[in-house]
Amino acid sequence: MTVTALAQGAWLSQPLPSNLEFPGPDAKTRDALGYLHANCGNCHNTTPGVYMIPEPRMDLRVLIGQTLDQTGATRPR
């Protein structure tokens, strides 16, 4: 199942934005951010109640519209 298939099947409560792509200058960077977002961002984020080691605090989720420099992968919190 893909996000596109979910959208086409009307399973999403909001339509997909037109800029649904991880930021970065090349495919390797975008793929790395996608990996960190999917595999690490579930725990490493700033959601209240989510356990994370004190330092460095990293938010590895990537939000729609963020630039590479705005992601937690490039800067500790």
Side-chain angles (χ1 to χ4, degrees), residues 14-65:
Q14 296 181 13
L16 290 175
S18 61
N19 63 340
L20 189 60
E21 185 175 287
F22 288 98
D26 54 51
K28 186 181 274 189
T29 302
R30 292 187 296 272
D31 289 349
L33 283 176
Y35 180 89
L36 290 172
H37 173 82
N39 293 288
C40 306
N42 294 310
C43 294
H44 293 274
N45 64 65
T46 57
T47 302
V50 174
Y51 173 77
M52 189 181 348
I53 57 173
E55 295 298 330
R57 294 189 63 83
M58 298 180 77
D59 186 353
L60 296 176
R61 294 174 301 173
V62 179
L63 304 177
I64 294 171

Side-chain angles (χ1 to χ4, degrees), residues 3-16:
V3 173
T4 302
L6 291 172
Q8 290 171 345
W11 286 93
L12 302 178
S13 58
Q14 296 181 13
L16 290 175

